[in-house]
Amino acid sequence: MNNTPVILRPLILAGVLAMCGLASAPANAQTPSVWQGIGFIAVDGGAQVTSSGYTSNLTFPLHGETATGTATSDAVSGAVFTARGGIRIWKNLALGAGVTVFSSTPDVAVEASLPHPFFFNRPREVSGTASGLTRRETMAAVEVSWLVPLSRRMDMSLFAGPAFFNVRQDMVTTVQFTETYPYDTATFAGVESEEVSRSVTGFTVGADVSYLFSKNFGLGGQFRFSRASTTLTPSGGQSTAVDLGGAQVGGGIRIRF
Amino acid sequence: MRLGSRAVCWLLMLTIVGLAAPGRLSAQGTAGRRTVAAVADRDVRDWDSQITRMERSDELRVRRTDEDGLVPGRTHERFDQYYDGIRVVGGELVRQLEKGQTLSVFGTVYAGISVDSEPAMRAEDAADIVAELTGVTLPAARVPDLVVLPRDDGGYALTYRARVMTASDLIIYYIDAQTGDVVLQYSDLETTVGTGKGVLDDTKKVSTTLKNGTYIASDKLRPPNINTYDMKGSLTRTNQYLNGQILLGDSDFASDSDDDWTDQAAVDAHAYAGWTYDYYYKRFNRQGLNNRNLAMTSLVHPVKREEWASQPSSVLNLYYLNAFYAGDGVMVYGEGLPPNVTAGGMKWNYFSGALDVVAHELTHGVTDYTSGLIYRNESGALNEAFSDIMGASAEFYYQPLGNGYLKADYLLGEDLTSPLSGFRSMANPQAFGDPDHYSKRYLGSSDNGGVHTNSGIANQAFYLAVEGGTNRTSGLAVTGVGSANRDKIEKVFYRAFTQMLPANATFAIARAATIQAARDLYGTGSDVDRAVTQAWTAVGVN
């Protein structure tokens, strides 16, 4: 599945082209050893390509018993927006911050065991796919960058730092179904969900390549990996362990000042 | 915007006809709402002509016409009110006819309707709104209906009506067809599933209804109405009801405050009535006693247990130590005796506490609506036997095999007696003094010619056809179909007893009919044919 919005593709392409430029750039004897500039800003669009999936366990009261089930979301891609900037504080070392916003609405596979209205211990099994359940991750990171000049126009930075995640995940809480007499079977009809929000600390590391077309402006590409782990618990439901972040690639504009 | 010119005419007409005759029409609640109760000749004539006029102007449409099930020759027409081709919620008239003549008109109509009948949104848009509200995507076949909703404030709204089942509720939505706002929503779910302990302290589910904050024993999950009433020990009231002198109301239902039921007799009567309906439906595709989902009514606590000692023997035998089918889908379950009292050397629990007893009584209802076996002599014994057979079969359908309480066996009523013995045995009728062979049949006149005694002969035939074995009297051996194929013999007896036997059937006719049923269902010369034939021969019925 490719969830990368069409509008972001040119930016990603630009980043890739910038990296290609790096690869094809001739060796330059005048390459400075110290990064030239006060600071930088990078704004990228791209995709988070290895978002983690999750499986949540469902329990809800039904017909005098407890219905059980699972909702499973496989790892999927999603669009990501990134903005980061920094100030050089010593030689090639810079201190800055970055923000990424990721959103994905994958299909969720749902299986449930629904109690019979007339008899104990005679569950009906249903399964189906729920759509429209969105995960939104916002990550804010404090980033220490090591800036590596590659030529007068091109440089690379390696960065890492602690990251603060906020996730808002639509969690399946109950399964909707249809049933008719004699109720020995039931049919999956959808789900009810609840948005669960949680904040947690993790980390981020990455690399960025920039190519300047003028003194201050250019294009670049970025690879980043971020990770945090937490649990999400809908009201009255069970806790579900989820991993946040993942591998991100993107490209966009670069500003050096 | 098309304002209802017809509605203005309506208002005038109602003013002239209705308000001039307040006995026929009275305003209630919503400003334009008028109730109609026309039974006097003149009123009926007026409304008859109004209905004709409204039909011509498409303000009324016939929804359905029903034959009167109680008074032959009468029909009931049910009309829906329409405004510019859109149904008006709650606008409805019911006209009773006999030979083309109107006898009465009842209903509610709305006057002065004024709404823009052109919706600004499509039904699919309303479905999307409902999906946003509930997460339920309605299929194309259930897109919301466009209706005119009379509002509580006296106005009207053009709305889409949707009925949505979620995991926790059944919700009716009225979505404004112009703005998309929710005009009205309410839960349409009254039915609940409660739990309770049966007579033998076993926990089971009961299908109940929440009414005015109390859970009542009214099952609306199954196709027929299955109601259980608590007679609160009033024999007078019980008999008045059975004689048609009083009707039972909401306050008579067996009830519970939290749906965790503690009236064990009511729990079993209610649950087992449903189970029996299910058994007939799943095994024979039969829809209730009359195959048309006749309501099933159970009466529990017809007398007070603690008053047993002061009762005459007739009451003791009928309302304490008995259960009976009272006709028209009504069952009465005996109260049993206090735990420290014995009768016939046994303690007797509530009679609703035995599934085979409940299924037995309900089967009398099935017989009533099918063969109508006359309740005396051989046909009466066959009537009783069929009830025993279906009672035991229901037990085998739901309960695990074995000896003991809540176990499936060929004893009748064992779950309500202590020690565990019951009062009849299909495997060995002689154990209770009943004949297992035609040569030993009771020929006296008591018990309607021994209907509860001679039933043992047919019971034994059923048992042998299933399980096989040797009849103790004749010494003839039968090769049964085996317990794994019990359902085949059940179907044979069901087919014969409900579709083939005449009301005055004899044992010989029952033999011929069941053999024919076996051949119809499983073929001549089949194991079933052989087993049924051998079984009747073994019990001396040829």
Side-chain angles (χ1 to χ4, degrees), chain A residues 144-168:
Chain A
V144 176
S145 300
W146 184 255
L147 308 170
V148 182
L150 300 176
S151 70
R152 285 190 175 279
R153 291 180 178 275
M154 183 175 289
D155 59 46
M156 179 175 74
S157 67
L158 304 172
F159 57 89
F164 307 96
F165 286 81
N166 175 265
V167 59
R168 287 184 294 157

Side-chain angles (χ1 to χ4, degrees), chain B residues 126-171:
Chain B
D128 290 343
I129 292 171
V130 170
E132 285 180 18
L133 292 168
T134 64
V136 176
T137 301
L138 294 170
R142 293 185 61 188
V143 294
D145 298 325
L146 187 65
V147 295
V148 172
L149 177 70
R151 302 174 64 131
D152 290 342
D153 62 7
Y156 299 90
L158 186 69
T159 63
Y160 284 105
R161 179 186 184 277
R163 190 166 183 263
V164 187
M165 184 77 218
T166 70
S168 57
D169 205 353
L170 179 61
I171 308 170

Side-chain angles (χ1 to χ4, degrees), chain B residues 106-341:
Chain B
F106 299 99
T108 303
V109 291
Y110 292 89
I113 299 174
S114 174
V115 292
D116 183 349
S117 58
E118 294 297 329
M121 63 170 59
R122 301 170 306 141
E124 290 77 8
D125 300 327
D128 290 343
I129 292 171
V130 170
E132 285 180 18
L133 292 168
T134 64
V136 176
T137 301
L138 294 170
R142 293 185 61 188
V143 294
D145 298 325
L146 187 65
V147 295
V148 172
L149 177 70
R151 302 174 64 131
D152 290 342
D153 62 7
Y156 299 90
L158 186 69
T159 63
Y160 284 105
R161 179 186 184 277
R163 190 166 183 263
V164 187
M165 184 77 218
T166 70
S168 57
D169 205 353
L170 179 61
I171 308 170
I172 302 288
Y173 286 102
Y174 288 95
I175 309 291
D176 193 306
Q178 312 298 356
T179 66
D181 295 336
V182 177
V183 177
L184 176 66
Q185 78 174 71
Y186 58 88
S187 173
D188 202 34
L189 186 68
E190 294 181 341
T191 297
T192 62
V193 176
T195 58
K197 283 193 183 301
V199 170
L200 295 172
D201 285 336
D202 54 318
T203 302
K204 48 174 63 89
K205 294 186 180 185
V206 283
S207 177
T208 60
T209 300
L210 179 60
K211 194 154 193 174
N212 299 326
T214 299
Y215 296 92
I216 60 174
S218 179
D219 178 354
K220 296 190 185 306
L221 285 175
R222 291 180 172 88
N225 283 326
I226 300 178
N227 299 323
T228 300
Y229 292 97
D230 178 1
M231 302 313 292
K232 301 179 178 64
S234 174
L235 180 56
T236 301
R237 194 166 168 73
T238 301
N239 281 332
Q240 285 176 333
Y241 171 69
L242 295 177
N243 287 321
Q245 294 163 337
I246 61 169
L247 297 174
L248 298 179
D250 288 349
S251 62
D252 295 305
F253 274 107
S255 62
D256 191 88
S257 60
D258 61 1
D259 224 13
D260 186 9
W261 290 66
T262 54
D263 184 340
Q264 295 174 295
V267 166
D268 275 347
H270 198 57
Y272 286 158
W275 290 20
T276 302
Y277 178 90
D278 297 340
Y279 166 72
Y280 269 100
Y281 180 84
K282 292 179 180 179
R283 183 67 94 211
F284 311 117
N285 198 28
R286 184 178 185 83
Q287 297 176 31
L289 307 186
N290 65 348
N291 207 18
R292 293 181 179 180
N293 291 320
L294 177 75
M296 298 158 68
T297 302
S298 300
L299 306 185
V300 296
H301 306 309
V303 290
K304 290 190 170 94
R305 246 190 188 188
E306 62 272 21
E307 294 177 355
W308 71 277
S310 61
Q311 301 285 5
S313 61
S314 58
V315 171
L316 205 57
N317 288 334
L318 186 60
Y319 289 104
Y320 285 84
L321 301 175
N322 190 35
F324 62 95
Y325 177 71
D328 300 325
V330 178
M331 280 72 59
V332 183
Y333 295 104
E335 191 72 352
L337 295 171
N340 58 343
V341 178

Side-chain angles (χ1 to χ4, degrees), chain A residues 63 65 116 176 181 183-184, chain B residues 134 136 167 205 221 278 282:
Chain A
H63 298 329
E65 292 181 84
H116 196 287
Q176 296 166 333
Y181 181 83
Y183 309 111
D184 292 337
Chain B
T134 64
V136 176
K205 294 186 180 185
L221 285 175
D278 297 340
K282 292 179 180 179

Side-chain angles (χ1 to χ4, degrees), chain B residues 334-353:
Chain B
E335 191 72 352
L337 295 171
N340 58 343
V341 178
T342 60
M346 291 190 293
K347 296 178 180 177
W348 297 82
N349 216 327
Y350 297 101
F351 270 64
S352 59

Side-chain angles (χ1 to χ4, degrees), chain A residues 61-208:
Chain A
L62 180 67
H63 298 329
E65 292 181 84
T66 299
T68 60
T70 58
T72 303
S73 169
D74 293 331
V76 293
S77 304
V80 66
F81 169 81
T82 302
R84 57 185 295 267
I87 302 292
R88 186 170 68 88
I89 56 174
W90 178 73
K91 292 188 176 178
N92 287 357
L93 188 66
L95 183 62
V99 173
T100 69
V101 178
F102 164 71
S103 179
S104 178
T105 307
D107 286 343
V108 174
V110 178
E111 295 180 346
S113 181
L114 306 174
H116 196 287
F118 298 152
F119 304 102
F120 285 106
N121 305 315
R122 288 195 198 174
R124 292 85 47 83
E125 308 299 326
V126 299
S127 62
T129 301
S131 56
L133 301 171
T134 300
R135 177 191 288 194
R136 301 172 191 83
E137 292 179 13
T138 303
M139 184 199 74
V142 176
E143 297 173 351
V144 176
S145 300
W146 184 255
L147 308 170
V148 182
L150 300 176
S151 70
R152 285 190 175 279
R153 291 180 178 275
M154 183 175 289
D155 59 46
M156 179 175 74
S157 67
L158 304 172
F159 57 89
F164 307 96
F165 286 81
N166 175 265
V167 59
R168 287 184 294 157
Q169 171 75 58
D170 293 329
M171 303 286 291
V172 176
T173 53
T174 57
V175 175
Q176 296 166 333
F177 58 94
T178 58
E179 57 179 0
T180 56
Y181 181 83
Y183 309 111
D184 292 337
T185 60
T187 304
F188 178 84
V191 298
E192 290 183 13
S193 64
E194 175 187 327
E195 184 184 270
V196 180
S197 179
R198 188 80 187 268
S199 295
V200 65
T201 302
F203 70 91
T204 185
V205 296
D208 184 295

Side-chain angles (χ1 to χ4, degrees), chain B residues 413-427:
Chain B
E414 75 284 1
D415 283 347
L416 56 89
T417 62
S418 178
L420 181 102
S421 66
F423 36 77
R424 282 192 291 278
S425 170
M426 301 171 74

